[in-house]
Amino acid sequence: ARDLEQALAANPRSAEGWLNRGLCAVNFAGNEEQFGRDPRPHFEQAVRALDRAIELNPQEALSWSARGLAWGNLAFNDSNHGRAAAEAFAKARDDFARAVELNPALEEAWRLRGWVHTNWGSWRYGKGEKPVALFRQAVADFDRAAALHPARAEIHVRRGEANLNLAICLHELGEDSSPALTAALADFDRSITGNPRDPEPVWRRGWLYHVAGQHAEAVADFEKAEAMAPHLRSCFAEKLAASRAWLAGGATVALLERAGQAVAGGRYAEAREAYEQAFRGLETDRGFTLPAETLRTAHYNLACMYALAAAGKTSSVAPLPDGPLGRPRGLPAPDAPDAPDAPDAPDAPDAPDAP
């Protein structure tokens, strides 16, 4: 840093010198963030230095990309996430757009723009929105980065994260989430193969398995990631506990599936017995919970069983009547999971190193 200051003092119109000063400030801010200190003053310093670099040489794509990264970090580090954060995000997006316009082959600009879109989408999701367009844009950005640098494992982790967030939003909107989940799994698998010592794609794949209802696979990945990097456990501890609870409640799940099959086959006495056993299991295992829709369906089906038993009907090939909650049905398929908690800032990766 001292050498940079001396070089700029000797040549204050050096665009390259101001670019390097901005990059140093971005990297220093990232270090401050890792130690729990406020990085914003350093990101602001980076913006000022990069303003000067762009003023002196507006054709340098790297300067625009670096300033986009600084603006993006200022948006995410705004504790209020109000108008100032929204303006910082808009500036980041505009800077990256200019960077890729000047140099479409600048891989890091596509990658960092995808990272900004993912994080901004995660914040808006946490506010109750379903920012499908932002996550789709992030995936498109990472596609461009991957086309330019297909061997870079980080791109696949980030694209997998964006696709997973996209799948969660689509599922909650009642749309098909399977293509996004499949794409995310492929990216996490590829990243793990390319960099087996990195715990992040392992726990992110565990999160995907949790979302998909594949809880045994989720627990295996979470435990593997914990063994690799115990300090990262907070990123997935809640999901690990939830998947373990699902596995512990396997007998209850099996009873509900059996009850649903009995309902479909018109075997009402068998269905009633299975539902009663399942509810007794839920009462004794407080650590295991079911999605609200599944519970409502099970309660409605059981109520129908009692009504039919009172009418002297223990079996029938006729379907049950529609109720206020819809036609009775069994446990949802594994690819229709309970929606996870909103992704939040702690789950977002640390800022990538500036180019």
Side-chain angles (χ1 to χ4, degrees), residues 308-346:
L308 289 166
K313 297 180 181 180
T314 57
S315 64
S316 172
V317 294
L320 292 177
D322 286 353
L325 300 173
R327 185 174 296 281
R329 53 196 181 280
L331 191 70
D335 62 350
D338 187 22
D341 295 334
D344 52 22

Side-chain angles (χ1 to χ4, degrees), residues 134-174:
L134 277 171
F135 291 131
R136 288 194 192 281
Q137 182 60 62
V139 171
D141 289 338
F142 291 127
D143 285 345
R144 293 294 298 265
L148 293 165
H149 199 326
R152 186 162 191 156
E154 181 193 352
I155 297 172
H156 300 288
V157 179
R158 301 280 79 80
R159 186 171 63 182
E161 178 190 0
N163 263 314
L164 178 54
N165 289 343
L166 173 61
I168 291 168
C169 289
L170 290 173
H171 171 69
E172 293 182 0
L173 291 169

Side-chain angles (χ1 to χ4, degrees), residues 12-330:
R13 296 191 58 79
S14 169
E16 183 179 359
W18 287 106
L19 169 59
N20 289 331
R21 183 176 182 181
L23 292 174
C24 273
V26 167
N27 286 327
F28 190 79
N31 292 333
E32 291 290 278
E33 196 168 17
Q34 288 182 4
F35 287 103
R37 295 189 284 266
D38 185 2
R40 287 175 297 177
H42 304 288
F43 286 125
E44 291 167 353
Q45 181 184 37
V47 167
R48 290 192 295 271
L50 293 162
D51 284 346
R52 184 66 173 143
I54 290 170
E55 179 186 346
L56 292 166
N57 182 7
Q59 301 304 310
E60 176 53 69
L62 195 57
S63 297
W64 291 93
S65 178
R67 193 174 69 175
L69 177 60
W71 278 123
N73 276 284
L74 283 172
F76 308 139
N77 283 281
D78 182 341
S79 58
N80 295 322
H81 281 94
R83 179 179 298 178
E87 291 175 354
F89 167 72
K91 290 177 179 179
R93 182 182 55 195
D94 291 345
D95 277 354
F96 284 124
R98 181 59 177 153
V100 297
E101 180 184 359
L102 288 168
N103 185 0
L106 187 61
E107 174 270 329
E108 56 216 51
W110 294 107
R111 169 170 44 87
L112 294 175
R113 188 169 78 165
W115 175 79
V116 166
H117 278 127
T118 300
N119 279 277
W120 191 249
S122 295
W123 175 79
R124 289 178 58 178
Y125 178 91
K127 292 292 185 181
E129 300 179 39
K130 301 293 183 287
V132 169
L134 277 171
F135 291 131
R136 288 194 192 281
Q137 182 60 62
V139 171
D141 289 338
F142 291 127
D143 285 345
R144 293 294 298 265
L148 293 165
H149 199 326
R152 186 162 191 156
E154 181 193 352
I155 297 172
H156 300 288
V157 179
R158 301 280 79 80
R159 186 171 63 182
E161 178 190 0
N163 263 314
L164 178 54
N165 289 343
L166 173 61
I168 291 168
C169 289
L170 290 173
H171 171 69
E172 293 182 0
L173 291 169
E175 300 179 26
D176 184 13
S177 62
S178 56
L181 276 178
T182 301
L185 179 60
D187 270 332
F188 292 144
D189 284 345
R190 180 169 181 172
S191 183
I192 291 168
T193 300
N195 190 6
R197 295 185 179 182
D198 184 0
E200 185 181 353
V202 178
W203 69 257
R204 288 197 181 277
R205 188 177 67 179
W207 194 322
L208 181 149
Y209 283 137
H210 173 85
V211 168
Q214 297 174 241
H215 297 290
E217 291 86 349
V219 168
D221 272 351
F222 288 145
E223 290 180 343
K224 180 180 178 181
E226 184 177 18
M228 296 169 70
H231 65 284
L232 293 178
R233 191 177 191 280
S234 62
C235 296
F236 53 82
E238 183 179 347
K239 297 296 179 288
L240 172 58
S243 283
R244 282 173 172 166
W246 266 94
L247 293 177
T252 301
V253 173
L255 283 167
L256 289 173
E257 289 176 339
R258 175 183 147 197
Q261 292 167 0
V263 168
R267 302 186 305 277
Y268 297 155
E270 178 186 339
R272 184 185 65 194
E273 180 183 358
Y275 278 128
E276 288 173 341
Q277 291 181 28
F279 284 123
R280 285 197 293 270
L282 288 173
E283 289 175 0
T284 57
D285 187 359
R286 298 296 184 182
F288 174 66
T289 58
L290 285 169
E293 181 184 358
T294 302
L295 279 174
R296 287 194 298 267
T297 299
H299 278 295
Y300 172 65
N301 285 5
L302 181 56
C304 288
M305 301 304 102
Y306 286 141
L308 289 166
K313 297 180 181 180
T314 57
S315 64
S316 172
V317 294
L320 292 177
D322 286 353
L325 300 173
R327 185 174 296 281
R329 53 196 181 280

